[in-house]
Protein backbone atom coordinates (compact mmCIF):
# COMPACT_ATOMS: atom_id res chain seq x y z
CA UNK A 1 0.00 0.00 0.00
CA UNK A 2 1.32 3.41 -0.93
CA UNK A 3 1.00 6.49 1.25
CA UNK A 4 0.20 9.81 -0.45
CA UNK A 5 2.74 12.52 0.09
CA UNK A 6 1.54 15.81 1.51
CA UNK A 7 2.00 17.49 -1.89
CA UNK A 8 0.01 14.78 -3.63
CA UNK A 9 -2.73 15.03 -1.02
CA UNK A 10 -3.01 18.76 -1.54
CA UNK A 11 -3.13 18.26 -5.31
CA UNK A 12 -5.91 15.70 -4.93
CA UNK A 13 -7.84 18.03 -2.63
CA UNK A 14 -7.49 20.85 -5.17
CA UNK A 15 -8.85 18.56 -7.88
CA UNK A 16 -11.85 17.62 -5.74
CA UNK A 17 -12.59 21.28 -5.00
CA UNK A 18 -12.28 22.13 -8.70
CA UNK A 19 -14.64 19.34 -9.64
CA UNK A 20 -17.31 20.62 -7.27
CA UNK A 21 -17.40 23.95 -9.13
CA UNK A 22 -17.91 22.64 -12.66
CA UNK A 23 -21.03 23.91 -14.43
CA UNK A 24 -24.27 22.04 -13.80
CA UNK A 25 -25.51 19.46 -16.30
CA UNK A 26 -27.71 21.17 -18.88
CA UNK A 27 -30.72 19.91 -20.82
CA UNK A 28 -31.58 21.51 -24.14
CA UNK A 29 -35.38 21.63 -24.11
CA UNK A 30 -35.78 23.23 -27.54
CA UNK A 31 -33.46 23.93 -30.46
CA UNK A 32 -33.83 25.53 -33.86
CA UNK A 33 -35.44 28.66 -32.42
CA UNK A 34 -34.94 31.99 -34.18
CA UNK A 35 -33.61 34.58 -31.79
CA UNK A 36 -35.33 33.50 -28.56
CA UNK A 37 -35.51 36.46 -26.21
CA UNK A 38 -37.60 36.19 -23.01
CA UNK A 39 -39.04 33.37 -20.89
CA UNK A 40 -42.04 33.02 -18.55
CA UNK A 41 -43.86 30.03 -17.06
CA UNK A 42 -47.30 29.34 -15.64
CA UNK A 43 -46.13 26.18 -13.91
CA UNK A 44 -47.27 23.95 -16.76
CA UNK A 45 -45.65 25.49 -19.83
CA UNK A 46 -42.65 27.58 -20.74
CA UNK A 47 -43.45 30.49 -23.05
CA UNK A 48 -40.94 32.55 -25.00
CA UNK A 49 -40.64 35.04 -27.82
CA UNK A 50 -38.60 34.41 -30.96
CA UNK A 51 -37.49 37.92 -31.82
CA UNK A 52 -36.00 37.15 -35.24
CA UNK A 53 -38.70 34.69 -36.26
CA UNK A 54 -41.62 36.85 -35.09
CA UNK A 55 -43.13 34.04 -33.02
CA UNK A 56 -44.49 33.34 -29.57
CA UNK A 57 -43.82 29.74 -28.52
CA UNK A 58 -44.62 27.35 -25.71
CA UNK A 59 -43.33 24.02 -24.45
CA UNK A 60 -44.46 21.76 -21.57
CA UNK A 61 -42.13 22.08 -18.58
CA UNK A 62 -41.95 18.30 -18.58
CA UNK A 63 -40.55 18.38 -22.13
CA UNK A 64 -41.96 17.78 -25.57
CA UNK A 65 -42.26 19.56 -28.88
CA UNK A 66 -42.32 23.38 -29.06
CA UNK A 67 -45.66 24.77 -30.18
CA UNK A 68 -46.20 28.05 -31.99
CA UNK A 69 -48.82 30.21 -30.26
CA UNK A 70 -48.54 33.31 -32.44
CA UNK A 71 -46.75 34.15 -35.67
CA UNK A 72 -46.32 37.25 -37.81
CA UNK A 73 -45.15 39.36 -34.89
CA UNK A 74 -42.46 41.99 -35.41
CA UNK A 75 -39.43 41.69 -33.13
CA UNK A 76 -41.34 40.39 -30.09
CA UNK A 77 -39.32 40.88 -26.92
CA UNK A 78 -40.54 41.00 -23.31
CA UNK A 79 -43.27 38.52 -22.36
CA UNK A 80 -45.57 38.21 -19.32
CA UNK A 81 -48.50 36.14 -18.04
CA UNK A 82 -51.76 36.82 -16.27
CA UNK A 83 -54.14 34.07 -15.15
CA UNK A 84 -55.91 34.21 -18.51
CA UNK A 85 -53.65 35.84 -21.10
CA UNK A 86 -50.17 36.02 -22.50
CA UNK A 87 -48.73 39.50 -23.20
CA UNK A 88 -45.70 40.63 -25.17
CA UNK A 89 -44.09 43.74 -26.64
CA UNK A 90 -43.46 44.03 -30.40
CA UNK A 91 -40.59 46.45 -30.75
CA UNK A 92 -40.65 46.30 -34.55
CA UNK A 93 -44.20 47.55 -35.10
CA UNK A 94 -44.60 49.51 -31.84
CA UNK A 95 -47.38 47.40 -30.33
CA UNK A 96 -48.16 45.60 -27.08
CA UNK A 97 -50.16 42.42 -27.71
CA UNK A 98 -52.19 39.87 -25.77
CA UNK A 99 -53.40 36.33 -26.49
CA UNK A 100 -55.75 34.08 -24.46
CA UNK A 101 -53.86 31.21 -22.86
CA UNK A 102 -56.57 28.91 -24.18
CA UNK A 103 -55.72 29.96 -27.74
CA UNK A 104 -57.06 32.32 -30.37
CA UNK A 105 -55.81 35.35 -32.22
CA UNK A 106 -53.56 38.00 -30.67
CA UNK A 107 -55.05 41.47 -30.29
CA UNK A 108 -53.35 44.78 -29.48
CA UNK A 109 -53.36 46.24 -25.99
CA UNK A 110 -51.70 49.39 -27.34
CA UNK A 111 -50.41 50.63 -30.69
CA UNK A 112 -48.16 53.50 -31.72
CA UNK A 113 -45.71 52.95 -28.87
CA UNK A 114 -42.06 54.07 -28.90
CA UNK A 115 -39.93 50.93 -29.14
CA UNK A 116 -41.69 48.85 -26.47
CA UNK A 117 -39.29 46.41 -24.81
CA UNK A 118 -40.42 44.74 -21.61
CA UNK A 119 -43.86 43.97 -20.15
CA UNK A 120 -45.26 42.95 -16.75
CA UNK A 121 -48.67 42.29 -15.18
CA UNK A 122 -49.61 43.53 -11.69
CA UNK A 123 -52.50 45.14 -9.86
CA UNK A 124 -54.93 44.72 -12.76
CA UNK A 125 -52.65 46.58 -15.19
CA UNK A 126 -50.32 45.77 -18.04
CA UNK A 127 -47.08 47.74 -17.69
CA UNK A 128 -44.50 48.18 -20.42
CA UNK A 129 -41.34 50.13 -21.09
CA UNK A 130 -41.08 52.32 -24.18
CA UNK A 131 -37.37 52.22 -24.84
CA UNK A 132 -37.36 55.53 -26.70
CA UNK A 133 -39.75 57.31 -24.35
CA UNK A 134 -41.23 56.43 -20.96
CA UNK A 135 -43.08 53.87 -18.83
CA UNK A 136 -46.70 53.08 -19.76
CA UNK A 137 -49.66 51.09 -18.48
CA UNK A 138 -53.16 50.02 -19.52
CA UNK A 139 -55.94 48.12 -17.70
CA UNK A 140 -55.78 44.35 -18.20
CA UNK A 141 -59.43 44.13 -19.21
CA UNK A 142 -59.52 47.02 -21.68
CA UNK A 143 -58.92 50.72 -21.75
CA UNK A 144 -56.61 53.43 -22.95
CA UNK A 145 -52.87 53.47 -22.33
CA UNK A 146 -51.49 56.12 -19.99
CA UNK A 147 -48.04 57.21 -18.88
CA UNK A 148 -46.66 55.97 -15.57
CA UNK A 149 -43.83 58.46 -15.75
CA UNK A 150 -43.86 62.01 -17.04
CA UNK A 151 -40.16 61.84 -17.89
CA UNK A 152 -38.48 60.50 -21.02
CA UNK A 153 -35.85 58.24 -19.50
CA UNK A 154 -35.40 55.38 -22.03
CA UNK A 155 -36.60 52.61 -19.68
CA UNK A 156 -35.59 49.02 -20.40
CA UNK A 157 -36.52 46.15 -18.10
CA UNK A 158 -39.15 46.37 -15.37
CA UNK A 159 -40.30 44.34 -12.38
CA UNK A 160 -43.28 44.53 -10.05
CA UNK A 161 -44.13 43.63 -6.48
CA UNK A 162 -47.36 43.92 -4.49
CA UNK A 163 -47.26 47.71 -4.38
CA UNK A 164 -44.98 49.16 -7.08
CA UNK A 165 -43.63 48.90 -10.58
CA UNK A 166 -39.88 49.48 -10.82
CA UNK A 167 -37.82 50.10 -13.93
CA UNK A 168 -34.25 50.62 -15.07
CA UNK A 169 -33.20 53.56 -17.24
CA UNK A 170 -30.33 54.28 -19.59
CA UNK A 171 -29.21 57.17 -17.35
CA UNK A 172 -28.48 54.68 -14.55
CA UNK A 173 -31.48 55.53 -12.38
CA UNK A 174 -33.80 52.95 -10.88
CA UNK A 175 -37.29 54.40 -10.51
CA UNK A 176 -40.60 53.22 -9.14
CA UNK A 177 -44.24 54.24 -8.98
CA UNK A 178 -47.31 52.87 -7.16
CA UNK A 179 -49.27 50.26 -9.14
CA UNK A 180 -52.51 52.14 -8.60
CA UNK A 181 -51.03 55.42 -9.77
CA UNK A 182 -49.17 58.28 -8.17
CA UNK A 183 -45.88 60.09 -8.35
CA UNK A 184 -42.76 58.26 -9.39
CA UNK A 185 -39.59 58.42 -7.33
CA UNK A 186 -35.94 57.75 -8.02
CA UNK A 187 -34.87 54.89 -5.80
CA UNK A 188 -31.22 54.83 -6.87
CA UNK A 189 -28.68 56.49 -9.12
CA UNK A 190 -26.15 53.93 -10.33
CA UNK A 191 -23.84 53.48 -13.31
CA UNK A 192 -25.09 54.38 -16.78
CA UNK A 193 -26.99 51.88 -18.94
CA UNK A 194 -28.82 49.79 -16.37
CA UNK A 195 -30.03 46.75 -18.31
CA UNK A 196 -32.04 44.34 -16.14
CA UNK A 197 -33.76 44.15 -12.75
CA UNK A 198 -34.66 41.58 -10.09
CA UNK A 199 -36.38 41.84 -6.71
CA UNK A 200 -36.37 40.05 -3.41
CA UNK A 201 -38.17 41.11 -0.22
CA UNK A 202 -35.58 43.70 0.76
CA UNK A 203 -33.61 44.84 -2.31
CA UNK A 204 -33.76 45.60 -5.99
CA UNK A 205 -30.79 44.28 -7.98
CA UNK A 206 -29.65 45.31 -11.44
CA UNK A 207 -26.99 44.84 -14.08
CA UNK A 208 -25.28 47.50 -16.16
CA UNK A 209 -24.02 47.24 -19.72
CA UNK A 210 -20.55 48.21 -18.51
CA UNK A 211 -20.19 45.15 -16.28
CA UNK A 212 -21.41 45.78 -12.74
CA UNK A 213 -23.99 44.13 -10.49
CA UNK A 214 -25.61 46.58 -8.06
CA UNK A 215 -28.37 46.74 -5.49
CA UNK A 216 -30.20 49.16 -3.24
CA UNK A 217 -32.62 48.55 -0.33
CA UNK A 218 -36.30 48.92 -1.22
CA UNK A 219 -36.62 51.01 1.91
CA UNK A 220 -34.07 53.43 0.48
CA UNK A 221 -30.38 53.91 1.06
CA UNK A 222 -27.05 53.82 -0.70
CA UNK A 223 -26.21 51.85 -3.82
CA UNK A 224 -24.02 48.81 -3.19
CA UNK A 225 -21.83 47.48 -6.01
CA UNK A 226 -21.68 43.70 -5.63
CA UNK A 227 -19.51 42.87 -8.65
CA UNK A 228 -17.58 44.59 -11.42
CA UNK A 229 -15.82 43.55 -14.61
CA UNK A 230 -18.57 41.22 -15.86
CA UNK A 231 -18.99 40.77 -19.62
CA UNK A 232 -22.06 42.90 -20.45
CA UNK A 233 -24.29 41.26 -17.83
CA UNK A 234 -28.06 41.07 -18.35
CA UNK A 235 -31.19 39.06 -17.45
CA UNK A 236 -30.56 39.03 -13.69
CA UNK A 237 -32.60 36.78 -11.38
CA UNK A 238 -32.50 36.10 -7.63
CA UNK A 239 -33.50 33.24 -5.35
CA UNK A 240 -33.00 32.67 -1.62
CA UNK A 241 -29.28 32.03 -1.98
CA UNK A 242 -27.89 33.36 -5.24
CA UNK A 243 -27.98 36.02 -7.91
CA UNK A 244 -27.83 34.71 -11.49
CA UNK A 245 -27.19 36.59 -14.71
CA UNK A 246 -26.28 36.05 -18.35
CA UNK A 247 -23.01 37.42 -19.72
CA UNK A 248 -21.04 37.56 -22.95
CA UNK A 249 -21.91 36.91 -26.57
CA UNK A 250 -21.52 33.78 -28.69
CA UNK A 251 -19.07 32.46 -26.10
CA UNK A 252 -21.34 33.53 -23.27
CA UNK A 253 -21.89 32.21 -19.77
CA UNK A 254 -24.46 32.03 -17.02
CA UNK A 255 -22.88 33.51 -13.90
CA UNK A 256 -23.87 33.53 -10.25
CA UNK A 257 -22.80 34.83 -6.86
CA UNK A 258 -24.08 34.61 -3.30
CA UNK A 259 -26.96 37.01 -2.73
CA UNK A 260 -25.13 38.46 0.25
CA UNK A 261 -22.02 39.15 -1.84
CA UNK A 262 -18.80 37.34 -2.68
CA UNK A 263 -16.91 36.25 -5.75
CA UNK A 264 -18.93 35.52 -8.94
CA UNK A 265 -18.56 32.07 -10.50
CA UNK A 266 -19.57 30.45 -13.77
CA UNK A 267 -22.74 28.38 -13.48
CA UNK A 268 -22.82 27.31 -17.16
CA UNK A 269 -20.25 27.98 -19.86
CA UNK A 270 -20.11 27.85 -23.66
CA UNK A 271 -23.51 29.44 -24.20
CA UNK A 272 -24.58 31.28 -27.34
CA UNK A 273 -25.69 34.81 -26.34
CA UNK A 274 -27.60 33.73 -23.22
CA UNK A 275 -30.59 35.79 -22.07
CA UNK A 276 -34.03 35.51 -20.53
CA UNK A 277 -33.18 33.80 -17.23
CA UNK A 278 -36.13 32.23 -15.39
CA UNK A 279 -36.12 30.49 -11.98
CA UNK A 280 -38.72 27.79 -11.41
CA UNK A 281 -39.03 24.78 -9.09
CA UNK A 282 -35.39 24.06 -8.43
CA UNK A 283 -34.21 24.75 -11.96
CA UNK A 284 -32.70 27.61 -13.91
CA UNK A 285 -34.01 28.18 -17.44
CA UNK A 286 -32.56 30.45 -20.11
CA UNK A 287 -32.49 31.03 -23.84
CA UNK A 288 -29.46 31.21 -26.10
CA UNK A 289 -30.19 33.82 -28.73
CA UNK A 290 -27.56 32.97 -31.34
CA UNK A 291 -27.64 29.23 -30.66
CA UNK A 292 -31.45 29.18 -30.88
CA UNK A 293 -31.95 27.01 -27.82
CA UNK A 294 -33.99 26.89 -24.62
CA UNK A 295 -31.96 25.34 -21.80
CA UNK A 296 -32.57 24.02 -18.28
CA UNK A 297 -30.13 23.17 -15.46
CA UNK A 298 -30.66 22.25 -11.79
CA UNK A 299 -29.76 25.02 -9.37
Amino acid sequence: MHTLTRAASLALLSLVVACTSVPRPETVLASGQTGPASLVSDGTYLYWTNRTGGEVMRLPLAGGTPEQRASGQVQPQGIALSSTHLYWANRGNHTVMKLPLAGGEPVPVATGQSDPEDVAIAGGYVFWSNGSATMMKAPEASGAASAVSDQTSSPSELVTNATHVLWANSDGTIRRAPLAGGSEETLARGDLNATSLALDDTHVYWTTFWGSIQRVPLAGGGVEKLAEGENHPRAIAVDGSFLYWAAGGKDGTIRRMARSGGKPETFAGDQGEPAGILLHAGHLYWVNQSAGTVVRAPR
Side-chain angles (χ1 to χ4, degrees):
M1 179 179 293
H2 297 284
T3 302
L4 287 174
T5 66
R6 183 173 184 275
S9 298
L10 290 174
L12 180 60
L13 178 61
S14 297
L15 178 61
V16 170
V17 170
C19 288
T20 62
S21 63
V22 296
R24 274 68 178 164
E26 302 157 26
T27 301
V28 175
L29 299 176
S31 59
Q33 303 303 298
T34 49
S38 299
L39 277 173
V40 291
S41 176
D42 61 3
T44 303
Y45 291 96
L46 280 175
Y47 298 85
W48 68 91
T49 52
N50 277 339
R51 183 170 55 194
T52 307
E55 301 168 301
V56 178
M57 306 292 293
R58 81 173 183 183
L59 175 77
L61 278 170
T65 302
E67 177 187 359
Q68 185 187 82
R69 302 300 287 166
S71 61
Q73 305 305 297
V74 188
Q75 296 178 21
Q77 300 207 146
I79 190 169
L81 284 165
S82 73
S83 60
T84 58
H85 285 79
L86 188 64
Y87 297 80
W88 64 91
N90 279 333
R91 186 180 177 92
N93 67 357
H94 313 295
T95 60
V96 177
M97 306 295 292
K98 72 176 181 179
L99 173 74
L101 291 177
E105 291 296 320
V107 297
V109 173
T111 60
Q113 301 304 296
S114 300
D115 298 323
E117 294 189 14
D118 200 12
V119 61
I121 309 298
Y125 289 95
V126 186
F127 295 89
W128 66 93
S129 55
N130 276 340
S132 298
T134 190
M135 279 292 303
M136 301 290 293
K137 72 176 183 180
E140 269 191 76
S142 63
S146 60
V148 174
S149 169
D150 60 1
Q151 301 183 48
T152 299
S153 57
S154 299
S156 53
E157 288 203 14
L158 62 129
V159 290
T160 59
N161 59 20
T163 58
H164 287 80
V165 55
L166 300 90
W167 63 96
N169 301 278
S170 62
D171 64 1
T173 59
I174 306 301
R175 304 183 191 183
R176 68 180 174 188
L179 296 178
S183 299
E184 70 176 278
E185 64 175 316
T186 297
L187 188 59
R189 296 185 182 274
D191 294 343
L192 294 178
N193 296 107
T195 53
S196 65
L197 290 175
L199 286 174
D200 63 17
D201 291 340
T202 59
H203 288 80
V204 57
Y205 304 81
W206 67 95
T207 57
T208 73
F209 179 81
W210 304 111
S212 65
I213 313 298
Q214 303 183 34
R215 73 176 179 183
V216 71
L218 289 171
V223 173
E224 182 181 2
K225 193 170 290 187
L226 299 174
E228 295 183 271
E230 294 296 302
N231 188 2
H232 302 316
R234 56 197 175 273
I236 194 169
V238 60
D239 65 14
S241 301
F242 291 98
L243 294 170
Y244 302 85
W245 63 90
K250 292 183 179 180
D251 57 349
T253 59
I254 302 297
R255 302 272 285 166
R256 79 173 188 178
M257 69 181 295
R259 189 177 65 165
S260 58
K263 184 178 180 180
E265 64 181 5
T266 295
F267 178 87
D270 300 319
Q271 305 300 306
E273 290 186 79
I277 289 178
L278 171 70
L279 306 177
H280 180 74
H283 286 85
L284 188 73
Y285 298 82
W286 68 91
V287 298
N288 283 319
Q289 295 177 316
S290 63
T293 55
V294 180
V295 183
R296 178 183 68 198
R299 284 188 257 166

